[in-house]
């Protein structure tokens, strides 16, 4: 199946100082491992009305390059560099990997914070965590809510790793957040994003980077969404579309 990365970018009316052009609020929503045929405007079987509304009322770019894996995608998006230029083109960063996004690189969050933006990351990081310098709050983000690794359980927020057992990975900035346990990640990230937007200080512009976990493996979806695809015979496909 062809894989592409769907990225929705919003520029909303923002704050303007006297004599300066307005600085728009910016929201980037990233879907993880979403297939070309897994959205309603490419496949009538798929039910993604909100995504289609955003796409149809914006600019829909249908011919572009994207990376096939999590880490290279994020590295490119946040730095503007091709992954092979920064050594992150071949694989993802695993739980015991002793590397991350090179610290000599400037991210879009670094640049926007320098321009006066309040910067937030909500969701999956997957750009390294073996030392503090690799963490989102060291890469231009004032705050991060979510998890550091990849392919973890959507409800329990745990990840098994060969040689290291099973670990819990969900954080609010640098603090482990056990209150997230048992709640589906998309619900958590959606709630947090709404909270950030509603409580944002309008005296400065907002940058919100929202990389959802969905629909990356493992295949886990709330039953009410899986039931929407009961006509599909393949169980994994039903689960995937429910995500």
């Amino acid at each position: 199946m062809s894989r592409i990365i769907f990225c929705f970018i919003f520029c909303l009316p923002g704050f303007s100082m006297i004599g300066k052009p307005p600085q728009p609020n910016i929201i980037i929503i990233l879907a993880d491992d979403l297939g070309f045929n897994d959205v309603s405007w490419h496949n009538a079987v798929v039910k993604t009305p909100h995504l289609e509304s955003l796409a149809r009322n914006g600019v829909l770019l249908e011919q572009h390059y994207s990376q096939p894996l999590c880490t290279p995608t994020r590295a490119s998006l946040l730095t503007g560099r091709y992954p092979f230029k920064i050594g992150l083109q071949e694989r993802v960063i695993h739980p015991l990997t002793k590397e991350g996004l090179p610290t000599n690189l400037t991210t879009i969050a670094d640049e926007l914070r320098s321009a006066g933006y309040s910067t937030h990351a909500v969701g999956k990081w997957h750009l390294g965590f073996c030392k503090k310098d690799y963490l989102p709050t060291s890469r231009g983000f004032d705050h991060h809510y979510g998890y550091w690794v990849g392919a973890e359980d959507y409800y329990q927020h745990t990840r098994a790793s060969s040689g290291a057992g099973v670990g819990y990975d969900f954080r609010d900035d640098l603090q482990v957040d056990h209150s997230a346990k048992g709640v589906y990640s998309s619900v958590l990230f959606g709630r947090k994003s709404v909270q950030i937007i509603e409580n944002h200080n309008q005296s400065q512009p907002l940058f919100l980077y929202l990389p959802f976990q969905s629909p990356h493996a493992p295949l886990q979806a709330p039953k009410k969404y899986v039931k929407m695809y009961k006509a599909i015979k393949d169980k994994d496909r039903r689960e995937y579309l429910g995500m």
Side-chain angles (χ1 to χ4, degrees), residues 155-233:
Y155 291 95
Q156 301 306 314
H157 313 298
T158 54
R159 166 70 187 269
S161 177
S162 177
V166 178
Y168 180 83
D169 181 16
F170 203 96
R171 289 168 171 79
D172 190 347
D173 289 334
L174 301 181
Q175 300 299 314
V176 176
D177 184 1
H178 290 285
S179 68
K181 190 172 184 179
V183 184
Y184 196 67
S185 68
S186 295
V187 174
L188 290 168
F189 299 150
R191 286 176 181 171
K192 186 64 173 182
S193 297
V194 170
Q195 180 185 22
I196 290 171
I197 293 169
E198 290 182 341
N199 295 334
H200 176 63
N201 183 349
Q202 295 299 317
S203 67
Q204 71 177 134
L206 169 69
F207 172 53
L208 172 59
Y209 168 55
L210 177 53
F212 277 101
Q213 181 176 1
S214 303
H216 193 287
L219 298 179
Q220 294 175 290
K223 292 181 179 180
K224 65 178 181 179
Y225 295 120
V226 177
K227 288 179 180 179
M228 294 168 62
Y229 298 99
K230 58 185 179 181
I232 295 177
K233 294 181 180 180

Side-chain angles (χ1 to χ4, degrees), residues 32-33 68-74 87-100 124 126-128 149-151 159 216:
D32 198 330
D33 285 355
L69 295 170
C70 313
T71 296
T73 294
R74 285 156 174 72
L88 294 174
Q89 74 276 17
E90 293 184 352
R91 57 188 174 84
V92 300
I93 293 176
H94 295 287
L96 299 182
T97 301
K98 297 179 180 180
E99 61 184 50
K124 176 180 174 179
H126 215 182
L127 286 172
V149 296
R159 166 70 187 269
H216 193 287

Side-chain angles (χ1 to χ4, degrees), residues 6-242:
F6 281 89
C7 181
F8 294 88
I9 302 177
F10 306 91
C11 291
L12 307 174
F15 174 72
S16 176
M17 295 181 67
I18 297 175
K20 292 186 178 182
Q23 293 176 291
N25 296 310
I26 302 170
I27 303 173
I28 296 179
I29 301 176
L30 181 66
D32 198 330
D33 285 355
L34 186 65
F36 183 87
N37 204 41
D38 298 330
V39 290
S40 55
W41 59 94
H42 291 157
N43 183 350
V45 173
V46 181
K47 300 175 176 63
T48 56
H50 299 300
L51 293 182
E52 180 160 357
S53 177
L54 293 172
R56 297 297 185 193
N57 288 286
V59 177
L60 186 57
L61 305 178
E62 295 278 53
Q63 298 184 35
H64 56 276
Y65 292 104
S66 67
Q67 305 302 317
L69 295 170
C70 313
T71 296
T73 294
R74 285 156 174 72
S76 292
L77 178 62
L78 293 182
T79 67
R81 306 289 188 92
Y82 284 112
F84 71 87
K85 292 282 190 179
I86 55 179
L88 294 174
Q89 74 276 17
E90 293 184 352
R91 57 188 174 84
V92 300
I93 293 176
H94 295 287
L96 299 182
T97 301
K98 297 179 180 180
E99 61 184 50
L101 182 68
T103 56
N104 64 318
L105 298 176
T106 300
T107 70
I108 185 175
D110 287 317
E111 295 292 345
L112 289 174
R113 184 160 66 177
S114 296
Y117 276 74
S118 174
T119 56
H120 298 260
V122 176
K124 176 180 174 179
W125 180 239
H126 215 182
L127 286 172
F129 68 98
C130 68
K131 61 180 181 178
K132 189 175 180 180
D133 290 347
Y134 289 139
L135 300 179
T137 48
S138 297
R139 307 312 301 267
F141 291 101
D142 297 323
H143 300 286
H144 171 246
Y145 178 81
Y147 64 109
W148 293 343
V149 296
E152 69 175 23
D153 188 281
Y154 277 74
Y155 291 95
Q156 301 306 314
H157 313 298
T158 54
R159 166 70 187 269
S161 177
S162 177
V166 178
Y168 180 83
D169 181 16
F170 203 96
R171 289 168 171 79
D172 190 347
D173 289 334
L174 301 181
Q175 300 299 314
V176 176
D177 184 1
H178 290 285
S179 68
K181 190 172 184 179
V183 184
Y184 196 67
S185 68
S186 295
V187 174
L188 290 168
F189 299 150
R191 286 176 181 171
K192 186 64 173 182
S193 297
V194 170
Q195 180 185 22
I196 290 171
I197 293 169
E198 290 182 341
N199 295 334
H200 176 63
N201 183 349
Q202 295 299 317
S203 67
Q204 71 177 134
L206 169 69
F207 172 53
L208 172 59
Y209 168 55
L210 177 53
F212 277 101
Q213 181 176 1
S214 303
H216 193 287
L219 298 179
Q220 294 175 290
K223 292 181 179 180
K224 65 178 181 179
Y225 295 120
V226 177
K227 288 179 180 179
M228 294 168 62
Y229 298 99
K230 58 185 179 181
I232 295 177
K233 294 181 180 180
D234 185 89
K235 178 182 181 297
D236 288 345
R237 180 62 173 163
R238 291 197 305 270
E239 197 81 25
Y240 175 86
L241 291 180

